[in-house]
PDB file of all heavy atoms in Angstrom:
ATOM      1  N   LEU A 115       7.229 -11.657  -6.900  1.00  0.00           N
ATOM      2  CA  LEU A 115       8.170 -11.796  -5.795  1.00  0.00           C
ATOM      3  C   LEU A 115       7.565 -11.106  -4.585  1.00  0.00           C
ATOM      4  O   LEU A 115       7.238  -9.922  -4.643  1.00  0.00           O
ATOM      5  CB  LEU A 115       9.517 -11.159  -6.149  1.00  0.00           C
ATOM      6  CG  LEU A 115      10.607 -11.199  -5.076  1.00  0.00           C
ATOM      7  CD1 LEU A 115      11.010 -12.636  -4.779  1.00  0.00           C
ATOM      8  CD2 LEU A 115      11.819 -10.385  -5.516  1.00  0.00           C
ATOM      9  N   VAL A 116       7.378 -11.831  -3.510  1.00  0.00           N
ATOM     10  CA  VAL A 116       6.728 -11.297  -2.308  1.00  0.00           C
ATOM     11  C   VAL A 116       7.744 -11.190  -1.177  1.00  0.00           C
ATOM     12  O   VAL A 116       8.421 -12.165  -0.841  1.00  0.00           O
ATOM     13  CB  VAL A 116       5.553 -12.202  -1.864  1.00  0.00           C
ATOM     14  CG1 VAL A 116       4.927 -11.670  -0.579  1.00  0.00           C
ATOM     15  CG2 VAL A 116       4.502 -12.284  -2.968  1.00  0.00           C
ATOM     16  N   LEU A 117       7.861  -9.999  -0.605  1.00  0.00           N
ATOM     17  CA  LEU A 117       8.660  -9.779   0.603  1.00  0.00           C
ATOM     18  C   LEU A 117       7.680  -9.532   1.735  1.00  0.00           C
ATOM     19  O   LEU A 117       6.866  -8.611   1.662  1.00  0.00           O
ATOM     20  CB  LEU A 117       9.595  -8.579   0.425  1.00  0.00           C
ATOM     21  CG  LEU A 117      10.550  -8.620  -0.769  1.00  0.00           C
ATOM     22  CD1 LEU A 117      11.418  -7.363  -0.792  1.00  0.00           C
ATOM     23  CD2 LEU A 117      11.414  -9.860  -0.739  1.00  0.00           C
ATOM     24  N   ASP A 118       7.749 -10.318   2.780  1.00  0.00           N
ATOM     25  CA  ASP A 118       6.715 -10.308   3.814  1.00  0.00           C
ATOM     26  C   ASP A 118       7.324 -10.116   5.198  1.00  0.00           C
ATOM     27  O   ASP A 118       8.295 -10.779   5.562  1.00  0.00           O
ATOM     28  CB  ASP A 118       5.948 -11.637   3.752  1.00  0.00           C
ATOM     29  CG  ASP A 118       4.762 -11.680   4.700  1.00  0.00           C
ATOM     30  OD1 ASP A 118       4.347 -10.615   5.186  1.00  0.00           O
ATOM     31  OD2 ASP A 118       4.250 -12.786   4.957  1.00  0.00           O
ATOM     32  N   ASN A 119       6.771  -9.167   5.945  1.00  0.00           N
ATOM     33  CA  ASN A 119       7.110  -9.002   7.353  1.00  0.00           C
ATOM     34  C   ASN A 119       5.818  -9.229   8.134  1.00  0.00           C
ATOM     35  O   ASN A 119       5.024  -8.312   8.312  1.00  0.00           O
ATOM     36  CB  ASN A 119       7.660  -7.596   7.615  1.00  0.00           C
ATOM     37  CG  ASN A 119       8.069  -7.394   9.062  1.00  0.00           C
ATOM     38  OD1 ASN A 119       7.739  -8.201   9.938  1.00  0.00           O
ATOM     39  ND2 ASN A 119       8.773  -6.302   9.335  1.00  0.00           N
ATOM     40  N   CYS A 129      10.172  -4.037   4.827  1.00  0.00           N
ATOM     41  CA  CYS A 129      10.887  -4.997   3.988  1.00  0.00           C
ATOM     42  C   CYS A 129      11.741  -4.171   3.036  1.00  0.00           C
ATOM     43  O   CYS A 129      11.415  -3.025   2.734  1.00  0.00           O
ATOM     44  CB  CYS A 129       9.921  -5.871   3.196  1.00  0.00           C
ATOM     45  SG  CYS A 129       8.913  -6.998   4.187  1.00  0.00           S
ATOM     46  N   GLU A 130      12.833  -4.751   2.539  1.00  0.00           N
ATOM     47  CA  GLU A 130      13.686  -3.955   1.668  1.00  0.00           C
ATOM     48  C   GLU A 130      14.495  -4.818   0.722  1.00  0.00           C
ATOM     49  O   GLU A 130      14.661  -6.024   0.918  1.00  0.00           O
ATOM     50  CB  GLU A 130      14.631  -3.081   2.486  1.00  0.00           C
ATOM     51  CG  GLU A 130      15.676  -3.832   3.279  1.00  0.00           C
ATOM     52  CD  GLU A 130      16.582  -2.894   4.082  1.00  0.00           C
ATOM     53  OE1 GLU A 130      16.212  -1.717   4.265  1.00  0.00           O
ATOM     54  OE2 GLU A 130      17.653  -3.339   4.517  1.00  0.00           O
ATOM     55  N   ILE A 131      14.956  -4.162  -0.323  1.00  0.00           N
ATOM     56  CA  ILE A 131      15.897  -4.746  -1.276  1.00  0.00           C
ATOM     57  C   ILE A 131      17.164  -3.900  -1.212  1.00  0.00           C
ATOM     58  O   ILE A 131      17.106  -2.673  -1.337  1.00  0.00           O
ATOM     59  CB  ILE A 131      15.340  -4.739  -2.709  1.00  0.00           C
ATOM     60  CG1 ILE A 131      14.032  -5.534  -2.781  1.00  0.00           C
ATOM     61  CG2 ILE A 131      16.358  -5.312  -3.687  1.00  0.00           C
ATOM     62  CD1 ILE A 131      13.331  -5.424  -4.121  1.00  0.00           C
ATOM     63  N   ILE A 149      15.857  -0.032  -1.631  1.00  0.00           N
ATOM     64  CA  ILE A 149      14.443   0.281  -1.811  1.00  0.00           C
ATOM     65  C   ILE A 149      13.722  -0.372  -0.643  1.00  0.00           C
ATOM     66  O   ILE A 149      13.856  -1.574  -0.429  1.00  0.00           O
ATOM     67  CB  ILE A 149      13.896  -0.243  -3.148  1.00  0.00           C
ATOM     68  CG1 ILE A 149      14.678   0.353  -4.319  1.00  0.00           C
ATOM     69  CG2 ILE A 149      12.411   0.082  -3.297  1.00  0.00           C
ATOM     70  CD1 ILE A 149      14.288  -0.226  -5.663  1.00  0.00           C
TER      71      ILE A 149
END
Side-chain angles (χ1 to χ4, degrees):
L115 179 64
V116 177
L117 304 181
D118 185 16
N119 182 347
C129 293
E130 67 180 16
I131 301 173
I149 301 174

